[in-house]
Amino acid sequence: MVRVLTLLVALTLWGAAFFGPAAAQESGPLRIEITEGVIEPLPFAVPDFVSDDSAGAEFGQKIARVISDDLTGTGLFREIPKDAFISTITSFSSPVQYADWKAINAQALISGAVSVDDAGKLVVRFRIYDVFAGQELGQGLQLVGTQDGWRRIAHKVADQVYSRITGEGGYFDSRVVFVAESGPKDARQKRLAIMDYDGANVQYLTDSSSLVLAPRFSPTGDRVLYTSYETGFPKIYVLDVASVGRRALDTQDGTMSFAPRFAPDGRTVVYSLTRGGNTDLYRMTIDGGAPERLTVTPSIETAPSFSPDGSQIVFESDRSGVPQLYIMSAGGGEARRISQGQGRYGTPVWSPRGDLIAFTKQSKGRFHIGVMRVDGSEERLLTASFLDEGPTWAPNGRVIMFTRETQGAQGRASLYSVDITGRNLRQVPTSTGASDPAWSPLQN
């Protein structure tokens, strides 16, 4: 029975709590067994992609580096350094010397070739190999894009490697919209920005002339909802990412509207609206339909988030005396409380998979990012800090990004990511302070 490189990553949060080393069995799939407290990352090799022509020569090494960074950044993979290589890849069509790669304990090998076609497009071919089985894992693929878009192609290759080895969807070819912050803490300037998931290719979407908060992607990633204080009161705007054109949503005059989020259909928006000192949830169509009130209580209802099928909404409310999490039908009506622990709960976000809800929790002077089942069971805190808040999900529902702010007059907000097991806490590099991240779906 030929052993196939199918890394069954049982990263379940709710079964056994820890990971053990990869088991090198004589037959059957290669697995990561959940046994102990430390995961042994899968060793892989990614030689520089070979150049099929002189025009493609500058891209081979850069693409291989981005692929490596994507995979190692998950905490599930470990790159074997080039100085350990016995074989080299000099031609994309040459047979793989499996024994040489096996000798350095490479369990996966990624090889590729780069060229530029007559139209000036970048052409990338790649293959993934199971070294111990001595065979290709799946079929080789070819990707074509602009030369300026070489990083996107590299992310797409990494997504393919990740998916074939873990059996889960990738998340590298995605973007994050966030609030870029500058200036002293008591006079902070904020503007909307967008970047690749790893902090590259930052572009600014607004200037810093007015305060902006809480950007949220549409399900297709082409539009962003956000709150602006441009008029002196919070008001919701929708921005087209490609053209950077924007318009205000026609919410009710004389009110404050904020905390917007798209429904899965991309045509409906749910948000908070304050009028007469009372804050409730409303929804309306993105093209300006009449607002529909969803909650009618004397408490503050905010931070709504749809379930992936659009049938329910999770939100934050202080109707019990302190902020807690509740779920109700997307059409409004009676809500049931799901948070049951000690402390204050807020900013709930439904996982793309539909099985978990991420949240911010304040308890005993500390802030946490946590996850729980949709019925409120099996709560687990993933982080602890002076101030952690505002979780957002990766497209595959495996990783959460959030804001972490340090204390003191010189405190700075930064973006961090963490796996839903609480492992692999990493800072996302940004050139300025950064807060309020929102992860896009995978790009087309």
Side-chain angles (χ1 to χ4, degrees):
M1 184 176 181
V2 178
R3 184 168 72 174
V4 180
L5 183 60
T6 309
L7 180 59
L8 302 179
V9 186
L11 296 181
T12 174
L13 177 60
W14 315 112
F18 301 112
F19 298 90
Q25 303 170 355
E26 289 301 320
S27 62
L30 184 66
R31 300 175 184 271
I32 291 181
E33 300 291 346
I34 303 177
T35 54
E36 300 176 3
V38 178
I39 184 172
E40 180 64 31
L42 183 140
F44 74 97
V46 54
D48 293 346
F49 282 21
V50 298
S51 175
D52 287 337
D53 55 34
S54 58
E58 66 174 293
F59 297 103
Q61 183 181 30
K62 294 193 294 186
I63 289 175
R65 290 306 88 216
V66 170
I67 295 169
S68 173
D69 289 344
D70 285 347
L71 295 176
T72 56
T74 67
L76 302 176
F77 298 85
R78 174 177 61 83
E79 184 184 16
I80 295 175
K82 292 181 183 179
D83 57 12
F85 292 0
I86 297 173
S87 285
T88 57
I89 303 292
T90 58
S91 171
F92 186 65
S93 58
S94 297
V96 172
Q97 304 300 314
Y98 289 106
D100 290 346
W101 298 105
K102 189 173 182 180
I104 61 172
N105 197 36
Q107 297 181 35
L109 171 66
I110 305 152
S111 72
V114 186
S115 62
V116 176
D117 65 16
D118 293 340
K121 295 288 188 179
L122 189 65
V123 180
V124 177
R125 297 178 292 156
F126 69 94
R127 293 190 177 107
I128 309 165
Y129 297 95
D130 176 351
V131 172
F132 283 86
Q135 64 183 34
E136 189 173 348
L137 180 61
Q139 295 182 334
L141 291 178
Q142 175 175 292
L143 301 173
V144 180
T146 64
Q147 295 184 48
D148 289 342
W150 66 269
R151 287 184 60 89
R152 270 204 69 191
I153 294 178
H155 289 319
K156 285 182 174 294
V157 174
D159 276 333
Q160 283 290 320
V161 177
Y162 180 90
S163 295
R164 293 187 191 187
I165 294 179
T166 67
E168 296 187 340
Y171 60 91
F172 308 125
D173 185 28
S174 61
R175 296 188 291 179
V176 173
V177 63
F178 65 102
V179 175
E181 301 188 0
S182 59
K185 204 168 188 177
D186 58 353
R188 191 69 43 92
Q189 293 185 321
K190 299 187 177 186
R191 53 179 172 166
L192 291 190
I194 192 171
M195 64 183 181
D196 294 353
Y197 95 100
D198 58 359
N201 293 329
V202 175
Q203 299 175 7
Y204 294 100
L205 304 177
T206 66
D207 60 27
S208 56
S209 59
S210 58
L211 181 67
V212 292
L213 301 170
R216 301 290 182 258
F217 269 112
S218 67
T220 51
D222 60 341
R223 292 164 295 161
V224 170
L225 289 169
Y226 68 99
T227 302
S228 173
Y229 279 75
E230 182 176 328
T231 63
F233 290 89
K235 193 172 184 63
I236 298 169
Y237 289 78
V238 58
L239 180 146
D240 182 275
V241 174
S243 67
V244 200
R246 68 191 184 99
R247 62 180 176 87
L249 289 191
D250 189 18
T251 54
Q252 300 174 36
D253 292 337
T255 63
M256 295 187 293
S257 55
F258 53 96
R261 195 178 292 270
F262 278 101
D265 63 10
R267 301 188 299 272
T268 306
V269 177
V270 64
Y271 59 96
S272 289
L273 184 143
T274 299
R275 181 173 55 185
N278 194 58
T279 302
D280 280 297
L281 297 182
Y282 287 73
R283 73 175 185 179
M284 64 183 295
T285 58
I286 196 71
D287 58 5
E292 176 186 358
R293 189 171 180 175
L294 300 180
T295 61
V296 184
T297 68
S299 52
I300 297 173
E301 271 72 49
T302 191
S305 174
F306 280 94
S307 61
D309 64 4
S311 67
Q312 299 180 88
I313 294 173
V314 62
F315 62 98
E316 170 190 340
S317 172
D318 65 355
R319 62 183 65 182
S320 67
V322 295
Q324 299 289 334
L325 306 185
Y326 294 80
I327 288 179
M328 68 179 179
S329 167
E334 185 176 353
R336 69 183 188 277
R337 176 174 163 177
I338 62 169
S339 56
Q340 302 298 334
Q342 298 296 315
R344 305 162 67 93
Y345 292 78
T347 64
V349 190
W350 219 303
S351 164
R353 297 181 179 185
D355 58 340
L356 299 174
I357 289 171
F359 56 87
T360 302
K361 182 175 182 177
Q362 183 183 7
S363 178
K364 298 178 180 178
R366 302 281 281 174
F367 280 80
H368 310 267
I369 300 299
V371 290
M372 65 173 65
R373 294 289 190 184
V374 297
D375 63 0
S377 64
E378 301 181 34
E379 176 182 320
R380 178 163 180 166
L381 301 181
L382 310 179
T383 74
S385 174
F386 164 73
L387 180 56
D388 287 351
E389 62 181 353
T392 181
W393 289 94
N396 68 351
R398 176 59 62 193
V399 180
I400 293 171
M401 192 177 294
F402 62 95
T403 303
R404 170 168 288 184
E405 185 164 343
T406 53
Q407 59 185 319
Q410 303 302 316
R412 182 174 187 245
S414 303
L415 303 184
Y416 279 76
S417 65
V418 66
D419 189 277
I420 60 170
T421 62
R423 298 181 57 257
N424 202 37
L425 178 69
R426 297 168 58 88
Q427 184 173 356
V428 181
T430 56
S431 59
T432 66
S435 63
D436 283 356
W439 218 316
S440 80
L442 284 176
Q443 300 185 75
N444 296 322

